[in-house]
Amino acid sequence: AASPPLLQVRDLHAYYGQSHVLHGINLDIHPGEVVSLIGRNGAGKTTTLKSIMGVLRSRTGQITFDGQDITRLPSNRIAARGMAWVPEERAILSTLSVRENLELPPARPGGWSAARTYEAFPVLRERGHHPGSKLSGGEQQMLAMVRVLRSGPRLLLLDEPSEGLAPVIVQSIGRIIRELQQEGLSVLLVEQNLNFATRLADRHYVFVDGKIVDEVRRDEVESRRDELLKYLSV
Ligand code: ATP
């Protein structure tokens, strides 16, 4: 790719107290690329997203976003530069209605409007008056994604977006990820669902014990599927 990377992670180490969980992660994401992090539970994928977003501050190395060193910035300043994170637990405002969730905070210029939201996920209009806590897992995932898309990010960090969802909902989330990519957004995706990941991602980084041990491009997936399955199996 000729364009400089949108995100560059160099020699990232991360810690929870005394416990050293990431051991020198290096990765790049180019504009418009969808990249997945795959690996078993506990391999360090979520920790990598939290470190990039600045939610986990106990880390060393260098993180560059759009040419700027963001390693020392707090997560709100990183978000303001165009990075957005949808955590595995799908942060939504559970006591507020779906509509209120879609109005707070107001959309930024270039972010998803109400019209775009209801076109992509009509069910969110139908559920407008339901409190966030009463939504299904799939509806919560859609709402959590839209909430961050309202800020018009350039890089979207998604932690297991397909987890626990019905196949038809997984499909509509996959369709939206592809649309976002066509619009030039970059996506960094943590996944346990290899089919979902390989359908969407241009490249995969394989995590084992807090390290990246392999990198697989889309055109290598078919011939290396058994290896990939082995990396994921317990
Ligand atoms: P999962 O899919 O289960 O989230 P993962 O690959 O994302 O797996 P991480 O959640 O990044 O893995 O966890 C990496 C390591 O850090 C694991 O050994 C985990 O037990 C440990 N860990 C994660 N969160 C914490 C925490 N809050 N405090 C202490 N250790 C943690």
Side-chain angles (χ1 to χ4, degrees):
S3 56
L6 178 64
L7 180 77
Q8 219 173 14
V9 174
R10 289 295 174 266
D11 198 28
L12 174 66
H13 291 252
Y15 305 82
Y16 293 107
Q18 299 292 316
S19 132
H20 184 179
V21 302
L22 293 183
H23 303 269
I25 298 298
N26 294 293
L27 60 85
D28 290 332
I29 301 176
H30 291 270
E33 238 191 339
V34 176
V35 172
S36 92
L37 309 183
I38 61 176
R40 293 174 197 167
N41 282 332
K45 307 174 303 290
T46 297
T47 303
T48 301
L49 294 193
K50 288 183 177 169
S51 300
I52 292 170
M53 194 66 216
V55 177
L56 178 65
R57 304 301 304 277
S58 174
R59 63 211 195 327
T60 63
Q62 194 180 40
I63 304 170
T64 308
F65 182 55
D66 199 19
Q68 309 272 328
D69 186 341
I70 60 164
T71 319
R72 285 172 211 292
L73 295 183
S75 55
N76 61 325
R77 303 259 313 273
I78 295 175
R81 284 167 186 251
M83 196 189 295
W85 173 51
V86 181
E88 199 172 354
E89 55 278 9
R90 297 166 187 161
I92 58 170
L93 306 168
S94 57
T95 60
L96 299 186
S97 71
V98 169
R99 257 186 62 191
E100 289 165 328
N101 266 277
L102 292 173
E103 286 165 358
L104 294 169
R108 289 219 208 111
W112 273 36
S113 63
R116 172 102 202 244
T117 299
Y118 297 138
E119 187 195 338
F121 300 124
V123 69
L124 293 180
R125 189 204 293 275
E126 293 158 29
R127 295 278 187 277
H129 297 290
H130 291 229
S133 59
K134 290 276 164 62
L135 300 178
S136 71
E139 291 160 356
Q140 286 185 4
Q141 180 64 41
M142 295 174 203
L143 185 57
M145 277 179 69
V146 172
R147 290 198 75 226
V148 307
L149 290 168
R150 288 164 50 74
S151 69
R154 280 175 297 163
L155 174 64
L156 190 58
L157 310 178
L158 298 177
D159 201 342
E160 303 212 23
S162 76
E163 194 192 16
L165 306 187
V168 53
I169 305 204
V170 173
Q171 260 177 28
S172 62
I173 287 172
R175 195 175 59 238
I176 296 303
I177 292 173
R178 247 181 246 116
E179 270 181 40
L180 293 169
Q181 178 180 33
Q182 278 157 15
E183 291 164 21
L185 240 87
S186 306
V187 180
L188 181 58
L189 188 73
V190 165
E191 263 304 328
Q192 302 270 356
N193 178 341
L194 189 62
N195 279 330
F196 184 74
T198 56
R199 250 182 254 140
L200 289 171
D202 301 304
R203 280 188 301 124
H204 307 272
Y205 288 109
V206 180
F207 275 66
V208 175
D209 295 339
K211 297 189 189 84
I212 291 177
V213 299
D214 208 341
E215 185 185 333
V216 180
R217 293 190 317 266
R218 182 192 286 286
D219 61 351
E220 300 170 309
V221 164
E222 235 13 83
S223 60
R224 300 191 61 196
R225 191 167 286 271
D226 289 347
E227 268 173 282
L228 287 172
L229 281 169
K230 215 181 215 166
Y231 283 132
L232 284 169
S233 64
V234 189

